[in-house]
Amino acid sequence: MQKPIYRRIVLKISGEALAGERGFGINQDTLNSIADQIKEIHDLGVEIAIVVGGGNIWRGRNSDQMDRATADYMGMLATVINALALQDALENRDVQTRVQTAIEMKEIAEPYIRRRAIRHLEKGRVVIFAAGTGNPFFSTDTTAALRAAEIEAEVILLAKKVDGVYDSDPVKNPNAQKFESLEYIDVLNRGLGVMDSTATSLCMDNKIPIIVFGINEPGNIKKVIFGENIGTFVKG
Ligand code: GTP
């Protein structure tokens, strides 16, 4: 039987990936399909920590009429909504989960405690990290990089609507070329929109590989876990 090549992963799910065709909010069918994919690899024994974005509900950085920090805090709250939706979908499939928030909201979820998160993973629970890093000016990609370093994850799976990293926007340019692999430094130098520079630098400094792939194709997370070359592999 095929075996997963990773033991502990951080799966970063962009908010947009939850929105489906409508482009905003949470599409229940899309959520169900993502939860099915997560269950599939959970059943293989992979330890999964999820960092979820919030762009399907609120995009802090696009708001030029609002104080940036305030807009970012609103974005962090959006990620909590997505985290609870994911928790619900996973627990409906009998996958035990714990949500931990970087900003305390104890009535809703546990606060982020690194050692406790690791313990949950060891016990086979999926841990969902919400509210970003708890700081404005840091993206949820940076959260994924930070949490991956903290919990010693072997890889970050960057689940997106597009199926990898391209040399130009594949939505606007039909001739855009997909990269099979990239070095962190290329991402930084070429300004490729894989991750922001803070997140990329953190991965580079801590030697955490990133695999960018499309999550809307069922079975893709499993393919990545088995080491299939889909999407774009970013490393040093
Ligand atoms: P173990 O100690 O490994 O058994 O982990 P556990 O998470 O099951 O222990 P605990 O008894 O701490 O948690 C039981 C339930 O309460 C879990 O669903 C937790 O997510 C939840 N829980 C724990 N701490 C908090 C908190 O501060 N706020 C909220 N809202 N829920 C919490």
Side-chain angles (χ1 to χ4, degrees), residues 98 106-111 116 120 123 125:
R98 297 290 185 266
K106 279 190 179 168
E107 289 75 7
I108 296 174
E110 295 177 20
R116 199 159 176 206
H120 288 321
K123 287 191 171 181
R125 298 163 182 152

Side-chain angles (χ1 to χ4, degrees), residues 103-120:
I103 294 171
E104 270 200 31
M105 40 185 99
K106 279 190 179 168
E107 289 75 7
I108 296 174
E110 295 177 20
Y112 172 65
I113 299 168
R114 175 180 161 264
R115 292 176 65 116
R116 199 159 176 206
I118 292 172
R119 192 83 189 101
H120 288 321

Side-chain angles (χ1 to χ4, degrees), residues 9-232:
I9 64 160
V10 164
L11 173 65
K12 161 73 205 300
I13 303 174
S14 72
E16 286 90 346
L18 299 175
E21 290 307 308
R22 211 160 42 135
F24 65 91
I26 298 170
N27 180 304
Q28 191 66 46
D29 291 339
T30 308
L31 182 66
N32 288 341
S33 140
I34 291 174
D36 285 338
Q37 290 198 59
I38 296 169
K39 180 180 166 54
E40 214 172 23
I41 59 160
H42 180 258
D43 289 349
L44 295 167
V46 180
E47 295 181 8
I48 309 159
I50 300 175
V51 172
V52 66
N56 55 325
I57 297 168
W58 177 255
R59 281 220 148 274
R61 76 178 109 94
N62 289 354
S63 174
D64 52 3
Q65 293 188 42
M66 196 181 278
D67 173 61
R68 166 74 192 260
T70 304
D72 281 355
Y73 280 120
M74 290 170 70
M76 290 179 227
L77 293 178
T79 71
V80 179
I81 296 177
N82 287 334
L84 295 180
L86 264 172
Q87 174 170 51
D88 183 78
L90 287 169
E91 298 211 331
N92 273 335
R93 287 160 176 74
D94 294 324
V95 176
Q96 287 303 305
T97 66
R98 297 290 185 266
V99 175
Q100 293 198 341
T101 58
I103 294 171
E104 270 200 31
M105 40 185 99
K106 279 190 179 168
E107 289 75 7
I108 296 174
E110 295 177 20
Y112 172 65
I113 299 168
R114 175 180 161 264
R115 292 176 65 116
R116 199 159 176 206
I118 292 172
R119 192 83 189 101
H120 288 321
L121 292 170
E122 288 169 349
K123 287 191 171 181
R125 298 163 182 152
V126 172
V127 180
I128 307 170
F129 295 126
T133 66
N135 302 291
F137 301 98
F138 290 93
S139 66
T140 49
D141 283 350
T142 301
T143 311
L146 175 64
R147 296 291 184 245
E150 286 184 280
I151 65 167
E152 296 177 10
E154 295 150 347
V155 66
I156 297 174
L157 268 51
L158 205 58
K160 300 238 185 205
K161 271 174 92 170
V162 285
D163 64 350
V165 184
Y166 287 77
D167 58 357
S168 62
D169 187 345
V171 180
K172 292 181 192 143
N173 177 8
N175 298 319
Q177 295 290 318
K178 189 166 103 180
F179 296 103
E180 255 192 38
S181 67
L182 278 168
E183 294 193 4
Y184 306 110
I185 201 74
D186 295 327
V187 175
L188 293 171
N189 285 343
R190 298 175 70 159
L192 298 168
V194 190
M195 274 185 155
D196 55 79
S197 56
T198 313
T200 308
S201 309
L202 206 50
C203 287
M204 183 164 77
D205 291 350
N206 294 288
K207 301 187 174 51
I208 306 167
I210 309 158
I211 302 173
V212 187
F213 69 104
I215 200 175
N216 291 343
E217 185 81 34
N220 264 1
I221 304 183
K222 197 166 153 188
K223 285 184 185 163
V224 174
I225 286 298
F226 283 148
E228 260 187 62
N229 259 349
I230 61 166
T232 304

